Amino acid sequence: MLALEPRSRTPRLLQVGTPILAVIATMIAGGLLFAALGKNPVEAIRIIFVDPFLDPFSRTELLVKAAPLAMIAIGLSFGFRAGVWNIGAEGQFIVGAISGGAVALAFWGTPGIWLLPLMTLAGALGGFVWAMIPAILRIRFGANEILVSLMLVYVADLFLSALVSGPLRDPAGFNFPESRRFHDSATLPILIERSRAHIGILVALGIGIAAYALLHAHNFGYQVKLMGTAPRAARFAGVNTSLMVAGCLGLSGALAGMAGLFEAAGPVGQLVPSLPVGYGFTAIIVAFLGRLDPLGILLASLVMALTYIGGETAQFTLQIPAAAISVFQGMLLFFLLGLDVLARYRLRLVRRAH
């Protein structure tokens, strides 16, 4: 009989190599999936992982897709390290877009360099407030933040649909459920001409660097790691666990809200029911693929962005179902978690006593 035996120490090579092995395993399993669908597996993998690098527009789109994934995943990583499981970042993403978008619509037609910073602040605040709901319920009543944050995603989604069908609907939009297009002063500046690459990409990069410093060179980061690895020791060391729960959820909510605003004020340019595309859930995979480290997450977000860009191309050129691409992304998390187990434990053959 096979049994799992904890390793006394996880080899550094395994820690670093697990994400790479997970990507390779996903390619192999994904190829088998595509073959089962009657598609050329080699061509499908090439389209997903290689072709986006060959086209100039696709290269910029990688950055556009990676930016919100990185921002959300970095926020989530602090909570995951501390044992605070925010699964509802998608809802905070939506509320951030609503909050910042409402500011843009309230000052529609009023140009000013102050507008975009105000929208960003409103977006972050909206995500923060939405994340505080599961935080307060956990701290005050011991509610499970996983369930509460997840259920709030559907509330936020319906809230967005109600707003763009009612108070925020474009009066000249022929009754379509969408807001006005944001004014030029309320949209993110473009970094590269004839592309959608916006300044939010640089913000995401800056957040990654700042988060790395916060995690590894600040007392908050030390407390996050201590709370996750040794909760009892953290309490004895004077760590305020309630404050840490609120801080981790608030930070992840604020970054998710900011990402939502950047999506609304960047590629989309307005509030629409289709604004949420699952970044909040995909960012969970990105966080673990990046080993819950901000710099690793920046790289992991590019890998996951590849599956979005390449997956869309594969759907168009090979007629691969969209669900198959979602399964492909899920495989990545499955293999990553599975290989993590093998990195921390070794398989040992145990003979049953007769």
Side-chain angles (χ1 to χ4, degrees), residues 130-191:
W130 205 248
M132 281 297 99
I133 298 174
I136 292 171
L137 291 177
R138 170 173 165 170
I139 294 168
R140 185 69 181 83
F141 302 105
N144 188 310
E145 75 274 13
I146 296 175
L147 294 176
V148 176
S149 62
L150 181 59
M151 292 300 101
L152 285 173
V153 173
Y154 303 101
V155 177
D157 197 14
L158 292 172
F159 187 40
L160 173 62
S161 297
L163 287 176
V164 296
S165 300
L168 299 183
R169 185 172 59 191
D170 184 0
F174 303 101
N175 285 330
F176 283 103
E178 59 185 23
S179 74
R180 285 176 168 177
R181 298 287 302 180
F182 293 169
H183 191 271
D184 288 346
S185 61
T187 56
L188 298 177
I190 297 298
L191 296 177

Side-chain angles (χ1 to χ4, degrees), residues 4 15 24 28 36 62 111 159 181 187-188 227 234 237 258 305 327:
L4 289 174
Q15 291 179 352
I24 295 172
I28 296 171
L62 280 177
F159 187 40
R181 298 287 302 180
T187 56
L188 298 177
M227 184 173 166
M258 191 185 300
V327 171

Side-chain angles (χ1 to χ4, degrees), residues 47-50 52-53 62 301-311:
I47 289 174
I48 293 174
F49 284 98
V50 178
F53 289 111
L62 280 177
S301 64
L302 290 172
V303 174
M304 192 56 64
L306 267 178
T307 66
Y308 272 104
I309 304 299

Side-chain angles (χ1 to χ4, degrees), residues 297-321:
I297 286 171
L298 291 176
L299 295 176
S301 64
L302 290 172
V303 174
M304 192 56 64
L306 267 178
T307 66
Y308 272 104
I309 304 299
E312 290 170 0
T313 305
Q315 289 176 47
F316 178 74
T317 57
L318 298 180
Q319 301 300 307
I320 292 176

